[in-house]
Amino acid sequence: MAINTVVFDAYGTLYDIQSVASVTDQAFPGHGDMITQIWRMKQLEYTWLRSLMRRYEDFEVVTRQSLIYTLRILGLRYEDALLEQIMDKYVHLDLYPDALPALTDLQGRKLAILSNGAPAMLTALVRNTGLDRLLDKTISVDCRKTFKPSPEAYSLIETELSAAPSQVLFVSSNPWDAIGAKAAGLNVAWIERVTPEAMAAACESSRLVAPLTMFKALRMQMDELGPAPDHRIQGLCDLAGLLPPIASA
């Protein structure tokens, strides 16, 4: 069955999570990179822990709690207004440069986001960056009260888009997400933004592992969990080459 639906992860795939560093460094000069990396790693950890404990809170709560954790363990003091200013970046994240061209090239197919993001966060982010004009639907896992990579989260694609797994290409740069989607029966393209060779070179160049290098080592390399993505690509614009042209009527 031909693929007629392309579903994207949001955070780290269409949107550059590292762009929060612009506000974390402004708020806490000299600490921006450390805050950015710990925040993201703890944010992901909280989604997995909450899913396992069956103590769901939406992604906005998770994101705020993981930011508070990060500032606390780094010994950084803050006012509530500053915390909300940092949090606001999550509805103004930077798009990856190839996001708009890639989505434009894929017009004619059903396009959607499936994200851990809370509905209000996602709606604002998509609207603020203009993707609402290119996407058919933005789907939050919130109605399932669990986070990716739970199979229940990926089942929303068929429910919300009326697309069988064989008709769907799921796209993510997050290895855990790509593996989760594949385990759920979807066709998967993983964006390998950091190669193992580049990772090894970064580690060889210094005895100390910088926060961003540590993040890339732990969160941007393919995991050893069994399922593997169908396609390994270098960027979003490679997607058009994976799919046959849309047949004309």
Side-chain angles (χ1 to χ4, degrees):
M1 192 175 294
I3 290 173
N4 57 24
T5 302
V6 183
V7 179
F8 299 86
D9 169 57
Y11 304 119
T13 300
L14 294 174
Y15 293 97
D16 184 2
I17 289 294
Q18 299 301 319
S19 65
V20 302
S22 64
V23 295
T24 57
D25 197 55
Q26 183 179 27
F28 298 98
H31 293 86
D33 187 35
M34 186 72 74
I35 294 169
T36 298
Q37 308 319 324
I38 296 175
W39 184 13
R40 175 59 170 167
M41 286 193 282
K42 186 57 66 170
Q43 178 197 55
L44 291 172
E45 181 183 324
Y46 279 7
T47 65
W48 301 329
L49 289 173
R50 285 195 170 279
S51 292
L52 286 168
M53 293 188 298
R54 298 179 185 174
R55 302 274 306 225
Y56 179 84
E57 294 283 355
D58 74 31
F59 197 68
E60 185 171 1
V61 172
V62 166
T63 300
R64 182 175 283 101
Q65 289 177 340
S66 55
L67 175 58
I68 291 170
Y69 168 92
T70 301
L71 298 179
R72 174 172 58 81
I73 64 106
L74 293 176
L76 299 172
R77 297 184 178 183
Y78 61 90
E79 300 291 338
D80 289 345
L82 182 59
L83 188 79
E84 295 309 313
Q85 179 183 333
I86 298 172
M87 281 288 298
D88 186 64
K89 182 62 178 177
Y90 257 85
V91 296
H92 295 93
L93 290 171
D94 297 352
L95 281 168
Y96 278 103
D98 54 354
L100 283 172
L103 290 174
T104 300
D105 287 345
L106 293 171
Q107 292 300 296
R109 289 182 171 84
K110 193 178 294 183
L111 304 179
I113 281 175
L114 173 67
S115 174
N116 280 339
M121 292 176 72
L122 285 174
T123 299
L125 178 61
V126 168
R127 183 181 63 245
N128 289 339
T129 53
L131 291 195
D132 55 333
R133 300 189 298 270
L134 297 171
L135 294 168
D136 295 286
K137 198 151 195 178
T138 300
I139 306 168
S140 167
V141 303
D142 188 62
C143 63
R144 289 282 195 263
K145 304 304 179 191
T146 190
F147 293 104
K148 295 185 295 178
S150 169
E152 288 78 11
Y154 299 103
S155 71
L156 280 166
I157 293 174
E158 186 165 12
T159 301
E160 296 291 326
L161 299 174
S162 300
S166 61
Q167 297 175 289
V168 176
L169 179 65
F170 183 81
V171 183
S172 182
S173 68
N174 295 298
W176 55 268
D177 193 19
I179 291 172
K182 188 61 190 175
L186 298 166
N187 304 294
V188 176
W190 173 54
I191 304 174
E192 184 183 32
R193 290 208 169 95
V194 180
T195 66
E197 293 77 16
M199 197 69 250
C203 292
E204 287 176 2
S205 64
S206 175
R207 292 182 180 180
L208 297 176
V209 180
L212 180 56
T213 303
M214 181 65 75
F215 177 82
K216 290 177 179 178
L218 294 177
R219 294 289 175 260
M220 298 183 74
Q221 304 300 300
M222 183 49 62
D223 292 297
E224 299 293 335
L225 291 172
D230 301 279
H231 308 283
R232 183 178 296 216
I233 58 178
Q234 302 306 307
L236 289 162
C237 284
D238 293 341
L239 289 170
L242 299 180
L243 301 170
I246 297 291
S248 56

